[in-house]
Amino acid sequence: MIDFGELTALAAREGRERIGVGVVVRDASGRILLIRRAPHDALPGLWEYPGGGRDDGEGVEEGAARELAEETGLAGLPLEYLRHLDFTNQSGRRVRQFVFTSTVPDGTPVALSADHDDHQWADANSLPPTGDGQREVIEWLTRRLAIPGWRPVGGYLTTIARPTAYGSFLITDPQGRILGMRSTINPTVWNFPGGNVEHGRTPFATALIEGMEELGLDLAAENPEVTAQRRLVAVIHEQAGTEYPVPVCGYVFDGGVLTPEQQARIRLDPAEHTEWRFETAHDWRALMDPDRYQRLRQVLRAHRSGLTLYLERPAPPDDDFEGVLVLVTDPAGRLLMNLREDRPGPWPGYWTPIGGWREGRETAEETAAREVAEEAGITVSDLRPLPGPHHDLGLPLTQVLHAVWTGPESDLQLGDEGLAVRMVPLDEVPLLKVPPYMQHYLPLLAASADRIAGGTA
């Protein structure tokens, strides 16, 4: 739907003093309906397409339909917005006319008003005396109609997906935890501060306004250095779904860090949210449904990388991951394991394979190679997806890859994660404190290692 309220406001900002309407009516043969002004009217004898001024309080499209019916008797026609025409009227006022078009059968009868004394169906190439502006509109329309498949913008817009848009902020605390707010309408949903873009607003302005309404904080004043940059973290396009049956385009901006003093001044709007909290990305997983959690992980990847990422939901198949699990074995059939630190986070105090979250625009193989280098100090190549079947088993959004490393164990160097790294015989892995997903992947890993050793991979 075209927002003529916003278009008329734009006209006022551009110095237009009046709003006019016009309708170019075509018959099936492509001729244009022109009506002639009566002798007693201004500019007598001038031929024109139907149109006039918009009445007070009248919508633009309603005004166009009314003028058409009053001047020609043609009522109830479907109108498609065409374009605008700017001109100065007889009183010296600057007018913006919104022009529509419609088509009728050949021979459609016309009933003129008292302000016009004749009509004709004119060929666009041989128009009778008319104003330069109207002639330009008619000739422009004729040229466009000659282009195969072209149609007026008002009709074209009905054929394309028109997503709604939202603007929101990613806000963290000094520990890097992420702010979420529990929805009043659906208590299982946790939102970022933000909301849908209304007419006349930009996504960033929407995020600021919604932040004020939802948190009671003016983020432009609270975090001026961050918000002044208007840093766009991510653009997310979400396809229509059963819950929200139109596409959505979301703009996520960096809202900065809220100090404990600022957090103490948060005042929620109870009509929208019942509570707020800061949680780690790991802990948000238990509070969000899988789709929202994946969107959070995507946004956090963009935020960490410093890159503005274009993201899609659902993600394309070759891009539908946010982390990797890397199973690195050696020719002796041992598996590279990392003893995790006993602190909050995934699998504290457990022995796990190498793994981590995706960065920037990395592929799964690039993520896996980087994580192995960072956690174990070695370089692996020829990374391959581990043949399935695969299950969640505590590994959402994760691709599982396998590589064979032929270097000596003495080359292993513990990185900045974990307490130790070592190669563990596969039959000894279950004797360690390991995550339950290892029970699923050890047989698959043994079969994959056998295939590689046999040269059939």
Side-chain angles (χ1 to χ4, degrees):
M1 181 177 179
I2 298 173
D3 185 358
F4 286 105
E6 181 61 25
L7 295 185
T8 55
L10 173 63
R13 293 195 297 270
E14 294 180 352
R16 301 297 155 182
E17 301 166 280
R18 288 192 57 126
I19 296 298
V21 292
V23 184
V24 179
V25 180
R26 298 167 285 134
D27 67 8
S29 298
R31 298 173 299 178
I32 309 297
L33 175 60
L34 293 176
I35 54 181
R36 189 175 66 186
R37 291 196 179 193
H40 64 270
D41 198 14
L43 301 175
L46 182 70
W47 291 88
E48 61 188 1
Y49 51 69
R54 182 185 61 159
D55 290 344
D56 291 341
E58 186 177 47
V60 170
E61 192 168 5
E62 291 80 5
R66 175 186 53 75
E67 286 287 344
L68 179 63
E70 290 177 355
E71 295 183 347
T72 68
L74 300 175
L77 296 184
L79 302 182
E80 292 183 332
Y81 174 63
L82 191 62
R83 54 167 286 176
H84 78 269
L85 171 65
D86 289 337
F87 62 92
T88 301
N89 67 11
Q90 292 295 103
S91 303
R93 304 185 73 179
R94 303 174 70 192
V95 179
R96 174 157 295 174
Q97 182 187 75
F98 293 100
V99 186
F100 297 79
T101 189
S102 190
T103 305
V104 298
D106 288 353
T108 296
V110 174
L112 296 176
S113 69
D115 292 331
H116 297 87
D117 64 359
D118 197 6
H119 80 278
Q120 63 172 288
W121 295 92
D123 189 283
N125 296 318
S126 56
L127 298 175
T130 186
D132 290 342
Q134 293 213 354
R135 182 181 299 275
E136 189 242 325
V137 168
I138 293 170
E139 292 177 348
W140 175 90
L141 174 59
T142 303
R143 291 192 301 271
R144 292 298 179 92
L145 288 171
I147 301 172
W150 183 87
R151 66 180 299 181
V153 63
Y156 172 70
L157 289 176
T158 66
T159 69
I160 59 176
R162 289 175 289 165
T164 59
Y166 67 84
S168 64
F169 280 122
L170 176 67
I171 297 175
T172 60
D173 68 1
Q175 288 74 47
R177 298 176 301 177
I178 305 103
L179 173 63
M181 304 176 299
R182 186 193 291 271
S183 169
T184 299
I185 297 174
N186 185 350
T188 65
V189 170
W190 291 82
N191 297 314
F192 292 159
N196 289 329
V197 177
E198 298 178 0
H199 294 306
R201 289 182 182 173
T202 66
F204 185 78
T206 296
L208 282 177
I209 293 169
E210 293 290 336
M212 172 68 82
E213 294 175 353
E214 295 174 349
L215 295 173
L217 296 178
D218 180 358
L219 290 173
E222 300 288 345
N223 292 332
E225 294 183 2
V226 174
T227 52
Q229 297 175 12
R230 301 191 177 198
R231 181 197 161 196
L232 180 61
V233 175
V235 177
I236 308 172
H237 184 276
E238 299 187 49
Q239 292 285 28
T242 54
E243 180 180 356
Y244 200 76
V246 296
V248 180
C249 190
Y251 299 80
V252 183
F253 299 93
D254 187 353
V257 177
L258 288 184
T259 66
E261 186 276 330
Q262 291 171 315
Q263 295 173 36
R265 291 188 279 107
I266 291 177
R267 297 293 182 269
L268 296 181
D269 177 359
E272 295 198 54
H273 299 99
T274 58
E275 66 173 295
W276 59 270
R277 62 172 68 178
F278 287 89
E279 297 287 359
T280 66
H282 173 74
D283 290 337
W284 273 124
R285 183 195 160 207
L287 298 168
M288 291 182 170
D289 66 46
D291 283 344
R292 286 181 178 270
Y293 182 65
Q294 179 160 14
R295 183 169 61 189
L296 172 64
R297 295 284 356 174
Q298 289 179 309
V299 170
L300 292 178
R301 170 161 57 92
H303 189 258
R304 287 194 309 270
S305 70
L307 301 171
T308 299
L309 297 184
Y310 166 71
L311 308 167
E312 293 181 354
R313 297 289 306 125
D318 60 350
D319 199 49
D320 195 16
F321 78 100
E322 289 301 317
V324 294
L325 182 70
V326 195
L327 302 172
V328 180
T329 57
D330 64 9
R334 299 180 300 173
L335 175 64
L336 178 60
M337 300 289 283
N338 184 320
L339 176 59
R340 300 294 174 182
E341 295 153 314
D342 192 5
R343 65 184 185 186
W347 308 114
Y350 282 70
W351 285 90
T352 74
I354 303 299
W357 293 111
R358 181 184 186 184
E359 298 293 341
R361 300 186 178 94
E362 289 177 332
T363 65
E365 291 76 14
E366 290 168 342
T367 303
R370 176 182 52 76
E371 287 290 340
V372 171
E374 290 176 354
E375 293 188 26
I378 61 174
T379 300
V380 293
S381 59
D382 197 25
L383 286 147
R384 307 173 186 218
L386 184 72
H390 297 287
H391 298 286
D392 181 359
L393 295 174
L395 299 172
L397 319 178
T398 300
Q399 286 201 18
V400 182
L401 296 98
H402 178 214
V404 175
W405 178 59
T406 59
E409 187 171 1
S410 59
D411 284 355
L412 295 178
Q413 296 181 5
L414 179 66
D416 57 3
E417 294 184 34
L419 300 175
V421 287
R422 67 182 176 94
M423 305 299 297
V424 180
L426 290 182
D427 58 357
E428 295 181 14
V429 170
L431 304 178
L432 302 175
K433 183 181 180 182
V434 294
Y437 62 73
M438 293 305 299
Q439 299 175 9
H440 174 80
Y441 282 109
L442 282 173
L444 298 178
L445 179 60
S448 179
D450 290 342
R451 283 194 294 271
I452 292 175
T456 61

